[in-house]
């Protein structure tokens, strides 16, 4: 036994002597004499010139170190610079003993001042493709195994990428890179500092081993990175790292300011420059990423952003398949105390919103349509702050044709109804105040449901101008020709105040308005819907005042200046007291008919109107009959059908029913002269056109009683009656209206 140990000791001594002798031999060599041979071998292998301009030195020990200085590798002809790679100094420290078993291990690799450029030419060929074009690079006869390195230390690295075809230029700079591992199966310790496109970053942590990575076995990650004012933590593992399959990684990102982070990333993504006009405040995002690149899954998603005193956004949920956008379950809430500070900070004219709270859940429902269940509440939304202060000047409403910008008033452009088929929404909306164009709506309530293209606003209501506006709406966009069904009810709205505040008109004062309407139609545009419209519309106006100039209908040549010449028209006051008014219209197959359905009572006269509006062609045919309360013995109503409105909604024209005026003039004889009306009638007749027609009496009935194509029916004399039949407004006993100034209006024959 002792003899065996002597043999082992002797062999070991011989090995040590040989190693010492080898080291002594190496130490005695001048390695610089081999620079030419090394460069030639490299050029033969790479097809590029390798230059070693500095010294090649060796530090002799049991772990010898070889150092090379000022090494460069030539670039391709026509490259952006002469050299593809330049290195200031490279040091490699070997482990000698593992060499005896054929195992190459490096204790330490140090690289300083590495400056490399990777670039492509106009054809897309990269300068990292060695050898002549079309020629395969020389293959290595080695085993292909990568030597294990215990420590890698890099200082002052610059890597540039230039794409000649796109003009894209990228730059990565590393101030330092340190990687350590005790063995091939040990975890890697990483620390890195640098910048990408001028954006500084740093990261540190541990990863799985080189052995697990090369064997495509579970690879663990635990890293912390900082960049662009944000901090990111990554913790998890990849089951098959070489294929990126079996992801189970938790990612968390946080920062003090989202705007600052986005602006800091702008050098990397230019589109982010000034993308966020204001600073919402701190943010935190966390998510667990699972699956594979082909089917990423997100779980435990959490988002918190903003400040509680301005705007705060919170969200949580999961996404089963990111690429397919399936399995979405997200709960969210948005709270805004006051957006005034936000508008001031951004310099953007935005609506004032106070006490906003939006919450709900979004997901993916049946047939791939996203779903949303929303609840919206607010204290104040003032849209006027976005449009600027309203002008205090009196409103000037342009003619209908000018407003429409053409020959049609009802738009024929298709409605964007297809969007209703792309999402299902259930919404509950409650608001305290909403200001639009100076009009304030309070206690707003909307309950709506959108499902498979069918919009059902089953309830909407608001308090407006002292009254209530409410109703319902059904729109079925799933049909080939969409259906519309609308019910509108307006109760006690101060019409004068509403019109004046909205800058529409100022010709009413103190009038309470009630509206009841039920309309149904079908079509893809407002014009198509109007052409097939059916239903009814009734509006009642209570006691108040109406501007005298309002009787100058649509700028008619017969103006109030002419009417005031009549004895019963009284003084030239600006306003005329209005007792009441009513408009009742029946609509069938796109034709709106007012059969004596327009009535206005003032202190001086009654006005009754009849006629039709064809919503298909927008043609108008209306007649208006004034009837004096007192004055001339004959009564002004004897001028049957005195005014006639024809034309279209875009281009209406007001004229005289010449036949009616002439008939009444002949039957009343000298009464006109005594009242001075003969001059007026003569002037009217002189301006009469050739298209006057006789009017028939409909006695305030519905459109069915007149027959198809019937024109205005108002004020015609009954043949068998000794006295002319005249329409009148009868004041019934006042109904128990909950507000002052309303009367029941009955349209009919005397």
């Amino acid at each position: 036994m002792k003899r065996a140990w002597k043999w082992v000791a002797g062999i070991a001594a011989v090995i040590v002597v040989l190693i010492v002798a080898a080291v002594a031999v190496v130490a005695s060599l001048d390695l610089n004499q081999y620079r030419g041979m090394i460069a030639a071998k490299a050029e033969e292998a790479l097809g590029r010139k390798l230059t070693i301009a500095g010294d090649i030195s060796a530090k002799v020990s049991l772990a010898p170190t070889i150092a090379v200085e000022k090494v460069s590798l030539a670039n391709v002809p026509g490259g952006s610079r002469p050299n593809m790679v330049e290195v200031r100094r490279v040091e490699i420290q070997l482990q000698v003993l593992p060499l005896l078993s054929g195992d190459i291990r490096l204790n330490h690799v140090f690289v300083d001042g590495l400056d490399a450029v990777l670039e492509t030419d106009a054809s897309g060929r990269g300068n990292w493709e060695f050898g002549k074009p079309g020629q395969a690079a020389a293959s290595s006869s080695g085993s292909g195994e990568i030597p294990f390195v215990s420590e890698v230390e890099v200082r002052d690295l610059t890597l540039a990428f230039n794409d000649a075809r796109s003009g894209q230029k990228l730059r990565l700079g590393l101030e330092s890179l340190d990687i350590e591992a005790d063995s091939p199966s040990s975890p890697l310790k990483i620390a890195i500092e640098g910048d990408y496109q001028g954006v500084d970053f740093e990261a540190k942590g541990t990863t799985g081993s080189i052995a697990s990575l090369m064997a495509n076995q579970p690879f663990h990650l635990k890293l912390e990175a900082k960049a662009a004012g944000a901090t990111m933590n990554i913790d998890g593992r990849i089951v098959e790292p070489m294929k990126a399959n079996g992801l189970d990684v938790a990612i968390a990102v946080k920062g003090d300011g989202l705007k600052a982070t986005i602006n800091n990333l702008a050098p990397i993504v230019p589109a982010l420059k000034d993308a966020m006009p204001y600073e919402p405040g701190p943010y935190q995002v966390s998510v667990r990423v699972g699956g594979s690149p082909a089917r990423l899954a997100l779980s435990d998603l959490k988002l918190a952003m903003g400040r509680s005193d301005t705007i705060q956004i919170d969200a949580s949920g999961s996404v089963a398949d990111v690429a397919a956008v399936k399995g979405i379950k997200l709960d969210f809430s948005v709270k805004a105390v006051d957006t005034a500070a936000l508008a001031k900070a951004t310099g953007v004219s935005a609506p004032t919103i106070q006490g906003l709270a939006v919450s709900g859940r979004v997901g993916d429902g049946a047939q791939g349509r996203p779903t949303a269940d929303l609840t919206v509440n607010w204290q104040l939304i003032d849209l006027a702050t976005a449009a600027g202060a309203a002008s205090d000047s009196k409103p000037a409403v342009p003619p209908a044709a000018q407003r429409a910008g053409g020959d049609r008033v009802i738009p024929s452009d298709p409605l964007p109804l297809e969007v209703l088929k792309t999402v299902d929404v259930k919404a509950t909306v409650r608001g305290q105040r909403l200001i639009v164009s100076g009009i304030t709506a309070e206690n707003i309530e909307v309950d709506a449901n959108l499902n498979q293209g069918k919009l059902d606003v089953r309830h909407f209501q608001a308090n407006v101008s002292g009254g209530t506006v409410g109703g319902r709406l059904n729109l079925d966009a799933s049909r080939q020709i969409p259906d519309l069904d609308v019910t509108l009810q307006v109760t006690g709205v101060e019409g004068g105040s509403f019109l004046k505040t909205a800058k529409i008109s100022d010709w009413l004062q103190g009038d309470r308005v009630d509206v009841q309407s039920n309309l149904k139609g079908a079509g893809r545009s407002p014009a198509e819907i109007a052409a097939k419209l059916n239903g009814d519309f009734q509006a009642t106006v209570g006691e108040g005042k109406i501007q005298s100039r309002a009787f100058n209908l649509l700028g008619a040549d017969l103006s109030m200046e002419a009417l005031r010449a009549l004895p019963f028209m009284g003084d030239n006051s600006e306003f005329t007291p209005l007792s009441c008014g009513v408009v009742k219209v029946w609509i069938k197959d796109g034709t709106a008919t007012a059969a004596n359905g327009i009535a206005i009572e003032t202190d001086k006269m009654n006005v009754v109107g009849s006629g039709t509006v064809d919503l298909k062609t927008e043609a108008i045919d209306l007649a208006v009959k004034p009837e004096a309360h007192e004055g001339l013995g004959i009564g002004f109503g004897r001028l049957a059908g005195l005014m006639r409105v024809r034309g279209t909604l875009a281009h209406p024209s007001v004229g005289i029913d010449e036949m009616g005026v002439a008939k009444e003039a002949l039957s009343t004889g000298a009464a006109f002269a005594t009242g001075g009306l003969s001059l007026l009638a003569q002037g009217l007749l002189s301006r009469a056109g050739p298209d006057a027609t006789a009017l028939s009496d409909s006695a305030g009935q519905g459109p069915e009683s007149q027959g198809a194509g019937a024109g205005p029916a108002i004020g015609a004399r009954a043949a068998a009656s000794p006295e002319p039949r005249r329409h009148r407004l009868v004041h019934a006993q006042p109904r128990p209206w909950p507000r002052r100034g309303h009367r029941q209006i009955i349209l009919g024959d005397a």
Side-chain angles (χ1 to χ4, degrees), residues 679-691:
L679 294 177
L680 174 61
Q682 182 179 359
L684 298 177
L685 288 170
S686 67
R687 290 191 292 272
D691 60 344

Side-chain angles (χ1 to χ4, degrees), residues 179-196:
I179 303 175
E180 298 180 17
D182 295 333
S183 68
S185 59
S186 300
L188 294 175
K189 298 179 182 180
I190 299 176
I192 184 172
E193 291 186 25
D195 71 274
Y196 177 65

